[in-house]
């Protein structure tokens, strides 16, 4: 054999072995250091966009002329719509207004750093071309595009991390998929192990393999119904395709994943030993409902973000796009207003860690980045706000909304604990005025003030 072709063969063998070797990474190889490395970008991000999009946006909460209670994306289950009947919505789903670049820009302008979109929700409809099942956006709708690919390109171009939600256990279309409340159509009956092996695992493989070297950033499992350890291990090997992918605590079978997922709620206190992300709707539904008008105010949404960041968590805020492929105008408005606040105050959120203070004597929060503190004041008392327990001297104090210097005085209380009083600004921000305290040394907090922070 000529030396050049032999050398080429050797290189091919080495490449194949290295690929096999890298694919050998498994859950049991994982370590805390690996997990910290995987989570680094996610911990920096603090704020992401959840997108619940699917053919449930076609009925948009109404079936046979009746408004169906519950979540928009649950309409098939809530109204016990037969499988073949519900599948007809696919032929009506043609989101010609969908523009991936616009979606990503709205998220980016809002100060969000990652997007988690439903690749397949409980209804079993894949929002990507799937060789595993024809019940997907490419084969079953007039749209004939791959929104996940268009989003992966737009995210790469705009520096946004793209992640996928996948409902691994509940699947109300394919035989054997689990269904909360039990099956209501014989077409749903079948072996769950067969469903996991022939539908869920191969589809997870598709979304892990087909959208870029670091996509998905997060694989967001959901509702681990009837998931045993053995069943979870039907899906786990797929993760070897993307050892950097972060996973949540909703796979089932006792697998904790990398972070916890309080839903529609903000924990009273953070967790110093476990990453966590609050996911929340802007109104009351994840998937679009035409008549859900119970929108949270921008003030509430920003203060939620601040509260979560002050406890060391992430905020995954949801938008449910319409069947035409547009964000509801109320969502667009809120994302824009959040972005106006984040434009001036984003450094008090991105890359921060939990407050070092157990509690505060004013209506606000505190976030931290190393030896800088961010004092968030929701409402200013006329006499200013008092921050007790900060031992470290202040290097500078600045209002982030207008860059003006903050006036402050330092004293000790009756027990001698240090008290910093910050006077109100000339122009406060009605949502949250942030004072950036650059410390003149390493952060030191009096024990009493920091006791609950442990
Ligand atoms: C699940 C989904 O059913 C829902 O459609 C949406 O995708 C949401 C983000 O996740 O909803 C849940 C999941 C878990 C609980 C409640 C609703 N729970 O643990 O109580």
């Amino acid at each position: 054999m000529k030396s050049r072709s032999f050398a080429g063969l050797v290189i091919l063998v080495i490449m194949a072995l290295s690929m096999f070797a890298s694919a050998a990474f498994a859950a049991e190889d994982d370590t805390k250091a690996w997990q910290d490395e995987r989570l680094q970008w996610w911990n920096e991000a603090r704020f992401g966009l959840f997108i619940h999009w699917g053919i449930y946006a076609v009925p948009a909460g109404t079936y046979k002329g009746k408004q169906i209670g519950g979540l928009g994306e649950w309409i098939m289950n809530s109204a016990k719509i037969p499988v073949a009947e519900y599948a007809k919505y696919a032929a009506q789903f043609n989101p010609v207004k969908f523009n991936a670049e616009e979606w990503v820009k709205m998220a980016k302008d809002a100060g969000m750093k990652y997007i988690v979109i439903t690749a397949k929700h409980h209804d079993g409809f894949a929002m990507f071309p799937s060789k595993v099942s024809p019940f997907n956006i490419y084969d079953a709708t007039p749209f004939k595009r791959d929104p996940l690919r268009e989003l992966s390109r737009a995210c790469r171009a705009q520096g946004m991390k793209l992640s996928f939600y996948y409902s691994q256990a509940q699947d109300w279309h394919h035989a054997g998929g689990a269904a909360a409340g039990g099956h209501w159509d014989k077409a749903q009956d079948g072996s769950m192990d067969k469903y996991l092996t022939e539908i869920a695992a191969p589809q997870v493989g598709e979304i892990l393999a087909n959208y870029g070297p670091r996509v998905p950033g997060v694989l967001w499992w959901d509702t681990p119904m009837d998931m045993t350890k053995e069943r979870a291990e039907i899906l786990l090997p797929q993760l070897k395709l993307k050892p950097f992918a972060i996973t949540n605590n909703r796979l089932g079978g006792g697998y904790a994943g990398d972070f916890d997922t309080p839903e529609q709620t903000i924990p009273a206190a953070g967790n110093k030993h476990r990453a966590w992300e609050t996911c929340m709707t802007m109104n009351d539904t994840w998937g679009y409902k035409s008549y859900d008008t119970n929108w949270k105010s921008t003030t509430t949404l920003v203060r939620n973000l601040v509260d979560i960041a002050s406890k060391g968590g992430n905020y995954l805020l949801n938008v449910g796009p319409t069947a035409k492929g547009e964000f509801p105008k109320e969502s667009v408005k809120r994302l824009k207003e959040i972005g106006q606040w984040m434009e001036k105050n984003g450094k008090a959120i991105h890359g921060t860690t939990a407050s070092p203070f157990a509690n505060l004597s004013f209506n606000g929060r505190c976030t931290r980045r190393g030896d800088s503190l961010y004092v968030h004041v929701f409402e200013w008392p006329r006499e200013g706000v008092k921050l007790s327990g900060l031992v470290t001297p202040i290097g500078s104090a600045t209002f982030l909304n207008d860059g003006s210097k903050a006036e402050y005085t330092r004293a000790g209380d009756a027990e001698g604990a240090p008290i910093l009083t910050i006077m109100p600004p000339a122009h406060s921000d009605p949502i949250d005025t942030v004072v950036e305290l650059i410390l003149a040394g390493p952060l030191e907090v009096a024990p009493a003030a920091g006791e609950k922070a442990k």
Side-chain angles (χ1 to χ4, degrees):
M1 179 183 288
K2 290 196 183 69
S3 60
R4 187 180 302 172
S5 58
F6 179 73
L9 179 64
V10 169
I11 289 168
L12 277 176
V13 169
I14 291 168
M15 280 171 65
L17 285 174
S18 66
M19 276 172 65
F20 177 75
S22 66
F25 181 89
E28 57 272 18
D29 300 332
D30 208 356
T31 63
K32 179 78 172 61
W34 250 100
Q35 187 177 56
D36 290 344
E37 185 177 341
R38 269 202 305 278
L39 282 167
Q40 189 175 352
W41 70 264
W42 188 89
N43 274 317
E44 283 281 325
R46 285 286 170 261
F47 191 26
L49 177 66
F50 214 167
I51 298 176
H52 276 70
W53 196 33
I55 59 174
Y56 37 76
V58 173
T62 300
Y63 177 61
K64 289 188 174 172
K66 281 178 63 183
Q67 292 189 349
I68 306 298
L71 299 167
E73 70 283 7
W74 272 69
I75 190 167
M76 184 183 174
N77 190 319
S78 305
K80 302 304 176 211
I81 303 173
V83 171
E85 178 79 15
Y86 181 84
K88 291 176 186 167
Y89 287 126
Q92 302 168 50
F93 188 68
N94 189 17
V96 293
K97 298 271 192 182
F98 170 64
N99 183 313
E101 291 75 19
E102 285 177 4
W103 284 18
V104 175
K105 187 174 187 309
M106 282 191 278
K108 184 174 183 178
D109 290 351
M112 294 164 159
K113 298 291 186 181
Y114 60 108
I115 291 173
V116 181
I117 185 167
T118 49
K120 188 210 79 169
H121 205 268
H122 307 334
D123 61 357
F125 184 76
M127 290 296 283
F128 57 94
S130 171
K131 292 184 169 38
V132 177
S133 163
F135 193 50
N136 70 69
I137 193 167
Y138 195 88
D139 296 315
T141 79
F143 192 52
K144 304 248 171 285
R145 284 160 51 183
D146 181 354
L148 302 195
R149 182 165 310 287
E150 294 177 32
L151 280 168
S152 68
R153 287 176 179 150
C155 283
R156 198 176 308 129
Q158 297 187 49
M160 181 75 67
K161 289 289 274 189
L162 181 60
S163 302
F164 298 139
Y165 163 113
Y166 189 87
S167 173
Q168 76 282 6
Q170 288 205 75
D171 187 313
W172 307 327
H173 178 85
H174 298 98
H183 291 160
W184 58 89
D185 183 332
K186 286 193 306 302
Q188 297 168 319
D189 296 342
S191 153
M192 185 167 182
D193 292 338
K194 189 168 186 293
Y195 157 75
L196 289 167
T197 306
E198 295 180 5
I199 303 287
Q203 281 194 332
V204 169
E206 290 180 313
I207 61 176
L208 283 173
N210 296 343
Y211 294 97
R214 291 299 173 99
V215 179
V218 179
L219 184 56
W220 218 96
W221 305 112
D222 197 12
T223 62
M225 275 191 70
D226 303 334
M227 286 297 287
T228 60
K229 185 172 180 297
E230 292 70 28
R231 284 175 169 166
E233 286 164 1
I234 294 172
L235 298 163
L236 274 176
Q238 302 292 10
L239 289 178
K240 293 178 185 174
L241 288 163
K242 287 283 169 41
F244 285 99
I246 297 168
T247 60
N248 69 8
N249 64 338
R250 296 192 181 186
L251 171 60
Y255 285 90
D258 298 307
F259 65 94
D260 293 339
T261 52
E263 176 161 328
Q264 302 283 36
T265 181
I266 300 170
N271 182 335
K272 288 175 73 76
H273 307 292
R274 178 89 172 144
W276 58 277
E277 170 192 77
T278 281
C279 56
M280 193 178 282
T281 53
M282 284 195 190
N283 49 9
D284 290 328
T285 179
W286 304 93
Y288 179 66
K289 284 182 88 170
S290 61
Y291 50 85
D292 182 333
T293 56
N294 189 28
W295 299 97
K296 298 172 181 72
S297 68
T298 300
T299 295
T300 295
L301 297 174
V302 170
R303 291 183 179 178
N304 284 346
L305 171 63
V306 171
D307 184 23
I308 289 164
S310 77
K311 294 165 180 172
N314 280 22
Y315 194 28
L316 188 63
L317 183 58
N318 184 77
V319 171
T322 67
K324 288 191 185 312
E326 295 176 299
F327 286 4
K329 64 183 186 309
E330 296 86 355
S331 300
V332 173
K333 180 175 184 288
R334 282 154 181 77
L335 289 174
K336 188 170 177 205
E337 291 169 348
I338 293 168
Q340 287 163 348
W341 185 86
M342 284 293 279
E343 193 175 1
K344 294 182 176 168
N345 303 287
K347 68 191 303 190
I349 300 292
H350 296 137
T352 62
T353 54
S355 169
F357 303 103
N359 44 51
L360 300 173
S361 62
F362 55 89
N363 182 9
R365 298 294 184 273
C366 180
T367 53
R368 172 190 179 187
R369 184 191 299 102
D371 293 334
S372 298
L373 289 179
Y374 298 94
V375 180
H376 300 253
V377 182
F378 298 162
E379 288 167 273
W380 281 93
R382 215 187 349 271
E383 68 278 8
V385 296
K386 296 187 181 307
L387 183 65
S388 61
L390 178 60
V391 176
T392 315
I394 307 290
S396 66
T398 308
F399 291 112
L400 291 186
N401 62 337
D402 62 7
S404 62
K405 289 295 169 208
E407 298 303 321
Y408 61 89
T409 56
R410 292 177 67 91
D413 67 10
E415 287 78 43
I419 299 275
L420 175 72
T421 301
I422 304 170
M423 299 315 289
H427 307 288
S428 64
D429 183 314
I431 295 179
D432 168 19
T433 310
V434 180
V435 188
E436 179 184 49
L437 299 178
I438 304 292
L439 303 178
L443 175 67
E444 188 185 346
V445 174
E451 59 193 2
K452 261 205 253 170
K454 289 186 186 65

